[in-house]
């Protein structure tokens, strides 16, 4: 099979077209949000979100409500709990995330144990890019546009509050509000990504491309651009590779995204050696 | 006597049941450099944070625009935190970090304007950081990082400069250069108030020394406050002077 056919042939199927668009959208949004997660040491938050969502999904299943809305609500509750514990109770961020995430996770496990819809729960909790619907595609595109636009518009205030929140407060910036917005934004990215393209792909795309980008540049605009580009390329390449190799898409994309980090470490080491010589 | 540009009266800060600063009265005047001295935990940082508007307090803090060297209708107060406060692994350049000081109310979402670039560039030049402007903040030495924080404060074009132990952890040459810059800023009309432990420097560079231990122990000329028989000596503060 020629290179072009390798790229084009899978795209003749509508499910692959939807998967490609959805993966690209999450591939941009997740890393752009992830840059702030890594800069603000909120990586653990994104992981804990994956656990906390269980509570909302289980509650929605028990109540017969939309599972996606239930997941979103759980993510928002967790984000607000964490923000409250960090901003008001002055807890360290990792402790706040651990307490809120594990508490919600425990509630979710109890909810699942009494749920009568284990298959529906499985679908929402472990979404698959190959089964993504047109409505899901629209949701992730909207999410991507919102995340990128919010970061572009708020870049000066995001930089000021991330680099030195104490100093930002002296400029009358409401840092608590910005912290909450960042955590809520991350929560939205995780839950929308998680329920559309899958938990593994969503979480990995939040963290790995942003980490790789930070290894390759120390300028925030370049890091954001690189993170989005690396996320989108890992998503698309992983999707195509999974199709041709007959492997599950989410894990392949995740492995490629992690491989980008390894490549970035290697590239940075080589560059430093060259500078040293 | 010049009128105070920043004055606090009966300023008290509590953290729950703990009183960190109690009934402090002090006034800062344009053109003076004031050292705030005291043992660890005496309330120096808390007092500076309260003056900068970072901490809730009892009592009053009044800013008087008429006392500014360059009246603009408002008193601008810049606060330089301890060097460990910022996230130095953030992927930003020195220039962007300094420009973060140009984020006044009402312009949160706007890109840096030409004026911001000019003022930021001037602050970088003043602190001898122009050549390092493109360098990542994480690649700076301790002395360079402290200069960055001061440059960011200068980018705010302040009338009052409050610094929390800026000399901490710096080598002798860096401390001398930093204190020299602060002295120049005071001579140019800024009110500078600096928490410090280096009492010899306080005596040499500052017009005035305020010794605190929760409340003000002594407030006066450096030689007087830090003299062997001065009030500060009673609290073990003057031993190194």
């Amino acid at each position: 099979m020629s290179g072009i056919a390798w790229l084009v042939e899978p795209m003749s199927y509508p499910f692959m077209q939807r998967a490609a668009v959805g993966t690209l959208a999450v591939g941009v949004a997740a890393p752009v949000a992830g840059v702030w997660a890594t800069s603000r040491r909120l990586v653990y938050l994104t992981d804990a979100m994956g656990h906390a969502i269980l509570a909302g999904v289980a509650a929605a299943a028990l109540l017969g409500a939309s599972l996606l809305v239930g997941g979103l609500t759980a993510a928002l509750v967790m984000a607000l709990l964490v923000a409250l514990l960090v901003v008001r109770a002055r807890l360290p961020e990792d402790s706040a995330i651990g307490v809120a995430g594990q508490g919600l996770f425990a509630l979710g496990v109890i909810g699942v144990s009494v749920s009568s819809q284990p298959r529906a729960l499985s679908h929402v909790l472990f979404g698959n890019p190959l089964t993504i619907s047109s409505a899901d595609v629209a949701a992730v595109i909207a999410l991507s546009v919102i995340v990128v636009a919010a970061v572009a518009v708020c870049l000066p205030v995001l930089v000021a509050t991330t680099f030195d929140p104490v100093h930002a407060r002296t400029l009358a910036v409401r840092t608590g509000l910005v912290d909450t917005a960042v955590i809520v934004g991350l929560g939205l990215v995780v839950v929308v990504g998680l329920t559309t393209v899958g938990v593994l792909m969503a979480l990995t795309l939040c963290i790995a491309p942003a980490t790789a980008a930070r290894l390759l540049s120390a300028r925030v605009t370049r890091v954001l651009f690189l993170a989005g580009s690396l996320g989108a390329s890992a998503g698309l390449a992983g999707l195509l590779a999974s199709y041709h190799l007959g492997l599950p898409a989410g894990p392949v994309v995740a492995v490629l995204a992690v491989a980008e980090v390894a490549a970035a470490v290697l590239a940075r080491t080589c560059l430093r050696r060259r500078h040293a010589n | 006597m010049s009128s105070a540009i920043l004055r606090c009266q009966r300023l008290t800060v509590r953290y729950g049941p703990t009183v960190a600063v109690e009934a402090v009265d002090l006034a800062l005047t344009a053109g003076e450099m004031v050292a705030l001295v005291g043992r660890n935990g005496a309330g120096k940082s808390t007092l500076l944070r309260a003056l900068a508007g970072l901490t809730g307090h009892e009592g009053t803090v009044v800013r008087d625009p008429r006392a500014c060297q360059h009246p603009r209708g408002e008193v601008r107060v810049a606060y330089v935190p301890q060097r460990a406060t910022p996230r130095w692994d953030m992927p930003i350049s020195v220039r962007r970090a300094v420009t973060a000081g140009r984020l006044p109310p009402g312009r949160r979402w706007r890109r840096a304007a030409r004026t911001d670039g000019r003022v930021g560039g001037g602050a970088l030049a003043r602190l001898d950081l122009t050549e390092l402007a493109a360098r990542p903040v994480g690649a700076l030495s301790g002395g360079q990082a402290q200069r960055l924080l001061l440059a960011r404060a200068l980018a705010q074009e302040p009338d009052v400069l409050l610094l929390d132990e800026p000399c901490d952890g710096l080598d002798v040459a860096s401390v001398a250069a930093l204190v020299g810059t602060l002295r120049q800023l005071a001579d140019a009309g800024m009110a500078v108030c600096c928490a410090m432990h280096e009492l010899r420097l306080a005596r040499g560079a500052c017009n005035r020394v305020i010794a605190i231990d929760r409340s003000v122990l002594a407030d006066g000329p450096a030689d007087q406050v830090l003299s062997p028989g001065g009030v500060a000596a009673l609290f073990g503060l003057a031993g190194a002077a």
Side-chain angles (χ1 to χ4, degrees), chain A residues 3 5-6 36 60 77 84 93 113 131 143 188 214 220 237 263 269 273:
Chain A
W6 192 88
W36 305 103
V77 167
L84 200 68
E93 284 167 355
S113 70
T131 60
L143 174 82
L188 285 172
R214 289 188 56 171
V220 69
T269 307
R273 281 195 184 156

Side-chain angles (χ1 to χ4, degrees), chain A residues 23-259:
Chain A
T23 303
L24 278 174
V26 175
V28 171
V32 167
V35 167
W36 305 103
T38 54
S39 297
R40 289 167 168 254
R41 300 185 181 92
L42 293 173
V43 170
Y44 180 34
L45 174 76
T46 60
D47 188 52
M49 288 281 184
H51 292 89
I53 187 182
L54 191 64
V57 172
L62 287 171
L63 296 170
S66 158
L67 301 184
L68 182 61
V69 171
L72 277 171
T73 308
L76 289 173
V77 167
M78 164 144 182
L80 292 173
L81 268 177
V82 171
L84 200 68
L85 291 171
V86 170
V87 176
R88 297 291 176 204
R90 302 275 172 203
L91 280 188
E93 284 167 355
D94 58 346
S95 301
I97 293 162
V99 169
Q102 293 306 107
L104 288 168
F105 181 49
L107 286 175
V109 172
I110 293 170
V112 167
S113 70
V114 296
S115 168
S116 58
Q117 301 178 15
R119 284 192 65 191
L121 283 176
S122 168
H123 172 73
V124 171
L125 286 174
F126 307 104
N128 182 339
L130 300 181
T131 60
I132 193 169
S133 66
S134 298
D136 288 338
V137 170
V140 290
I141 288 175
L143 174 82
S144 189
V145 169
I146 289 168
V147 167
V148 172
V151 168
V153 170
C154 305
L155 190 60
V157 83
L158 281 170
V159 166
T161 53
T162 305
F163 176 57
D164 190 349
V166 173
H167 182 263
R169 283 176 57 205
T170 69
L171 300 172
V173 176
R174 295 175 66 185
T175 52
L177 190 66
V178 179
D179 291 346
T180 306
V182 168
I183 293 171
V184 167
L186 270 169
L188 285 172
V189 168
V190 171
V191 74
V192 173
L194 190 148
T195 52
T196 51
V197 296
V199 59
L200 196 56
M201 190 194 289
L203 292 178
T204 313
L205 285 178
C206 259
I207 306 307
T211 304
R214 289 188 56 171
L215 286 165
L216 296 173
S217 177
R219 293 193 174 188
V220 69
T221 44
R222 278 188 205 168
V223 168
L224 287 165
F225 181 78
L226 268 173
S229 306
L230 288 171
S233 25
L236 197 57
L239 194 65
L240 290 169
S242 75
Y243 174 87
H244 290 291
L245 299 173
L247 293 170
V252 174
V253 170
V255 165
L256 280 183
V258 172

Side-chain angles (χ1 to χ4, degrees), chain B residues 2-239:
Chain B
S2 310
S3 61
I5 191 169
L6 183 71
R7 179 190 296 277
C8 70
Q9 290 180 310
R10 308 293 297 168
L11 189 137
T12 299
V13 181
R14 299 176 201 274
Y15 295 124
T18 307
V19 180
V21 170
E22 187 170 25
V24 168
D25 294 334
L26 70 81
L28 300 176
T29 310
E32 70 172 348
M33 182 165 163
V34 179
L36 192 59
V37 302
R39 60 174 177 81
N40 288 335
K44 302 185 296 295
S45 298
T46 302
L47 178 57
L48 288 178
R49 289 167 67 91
L51 292 174
L54 286 167
T55 302
H57 58 80
E58 299 162 25
T60 56
V61 177
V62 178
R63 302 176 181 188
D64 185 358
R66 294 167 302 176
C68 293
Q69 195 88 343
H70 310 289
R72 286 174 293 209
E74 60 168 349
V75 176
R76 293 184 190 175
V77 178
Y79 170 75
V80 179
Q82 291 185 14
R83 205 166 64 252
T85 308
R87 293 184 174 107
W88 292 103
D89 61 349
M90 171 93 184
I92 54 171
S93 65
V94 169
R95 184 185 301 281
R96 189 178 278 275
V98 168
T99 313
R102 307 286 301 171
L103 196 69
R107 294 196 302 144
R108 298 274 183 254
W109 324 113
R110 234 187 62 184
R111 302 273 146 202
R114 190 172 296 175
T115 315
D116 300 325
R118 183 175 52 74
V119 175
L124 286 168
R126 181 77 186 252
L127 273 300
D128 205 16
L129 286 169
T130 306
E131 286 186 8
L132 305 178
R135 187 174 288 192
V137 293
L140 299 181
S141 68
Q144 290 165 343
Q146 191 60 59
R147 275 152 53 202
L148 181 154
L149 296 182
L150 184 53
R152 184 184 60 181
L154 295 188
Q156 293 174 243
E157 298 179 295
D159 303 297
V160 179
L161 189 57
L162 306 172
L163 304 101
D164 195 356
E165 298 185 12
C167 305
D168 219 27
L170 298 188
D171 60 41
V172 175
S174 298
V175 168
L178 183 70
V179 170
T181 305
L182 295 177
R183 183 67 257 176
Q184 287 172 11
L185 293 169
D187 290 341
M190 204 177 284
V192 178
C193 182
C194 182
M196 57 167 65
H197 288 289
E198 297 77 7
L199 302 183
R200 285 192 185 87
L201 277 171
R203 177 179 278 176
C206 298
N207 308 74
R208 208 173 121 206
V209 171
I210 300 174
I212 71 165
D213 190 9
R214 202 166 65 176
S215 54
V216 173
L217 301 176
D219 182 351
D223 285 342
Q224 192 179 315
V225 174
L226 298 176
S227 67
V231 177
L234 296 174
F235 289 83
L237 294 175

